[in-house]
Amino acid sequence: MNEQAPLPEIRVDKWLWAARFFKTRQLAIEAINGGKVQVDGQRAKPSRSVRPGSRLEINKGGLTWEIQVLAIDKQRRPASEAARLYEEAEASRLRRQERLREIREMGTAPGADGRPTKRDRRQIQRFTGRGDSDA
């Protein structure tokens, strides 16, 4: 009787939530449906099962994680415990760190949210010559 116990399985959306890749399951589902998550090299549905040994590729916010599932946890735990659920490929980690460094170096322009601040507006007016009191 050499029957092995089946490996534990969990839905990929639940696992991504428990591993703290997404703040809510709904965000995880939206990412999966949008093609941002691949399981074992294939596009997945939120109900797709993952088990220890499964490989995931997660694209989120311009960053990519290539990970291998090490453990299953149905409950969301602190980040230090969630990090034990997976192992990231070294090449993936280095690419992600390089991308973060590039983003930091680019920085954000003042008023990058689309609307200039009062200070920015005054600088624009001085530069374009509009708003002068002698007009």
Side-chain angles (χ1 to χ4, degrees):
M1 305 237 180
N2 263 345
E3 285 188 38
Q4 292 180 334
L7 290 174
E9 293 182 352
I10 189 171
R11 289 173 54 115
V12 68
D13 60 328
K14 282 186 181 183
W15 189 88
L16 289 168
W17 169 76
R20 294 185 165 266
F21 281 99
F22 295 95
K23 195 170 187 175
T24 64
R25 278 188 58 202
Q26 186 59 42
L27 290 174
I29 289 169
E30 289 171 9
I32 295 165
N33 287 335
K36 306 277 190 219
V37 177
Q38 292 186 351
V39 178
D40 295 325
Q42 297 179 350
R43 193 169 171 168
K45 292 183 178 179
S47 61
R48 169 90 183 253
S49 294
V50 293
R51 58 180 57 96
S54 295
R55 295 194 175 280
L56 275 70
E57 183 176 320
I58 305 161
N59 295 306
K60 180 182 170 193
L63 301 174
T64 302
W65 287 263
E66 293 175 9
I67 60 169
Q68 180 175 2
V69 176
L70 297 178
I72 301 294
D73 200 345
K74 295 181 189 220
Q75 296 209 336
R76 192 169 167 103
R77 304 268 184 219
S80 59
E81 290 181 35
R84 296 184 194 137
L85 298 178
Y86 61 91
E87 180 180 50
E88 185 175 7
E90 186 66 21
S92 168
R93 187 181 62 78
L94 293 174
R95 276 194 308 270
R96 197 166 37 81
Q97 287 178 342
E98 178 65 24
R99 179 71 176 130
L100 285 170
R101 187 184 62 75
E102 289 172 3
I103 291 170
R104 259 185 263 129
E105 284 178 0
M106 282 192 290
T108 56
D113 60 345
R115 185 170 173 171
T117 63
K118 190 173 186 178
R119 179 175 176 257
D120 295 335
R121 195 169 52 251
R122 287 181 179 159
Q123 288 177 338
I124 292 168
Q125 289 171 346
R126 272 195 298 267
F127 181 75
T128 60
R130 293 186 187 167
D132 291 339
S133 60
D134 57 325

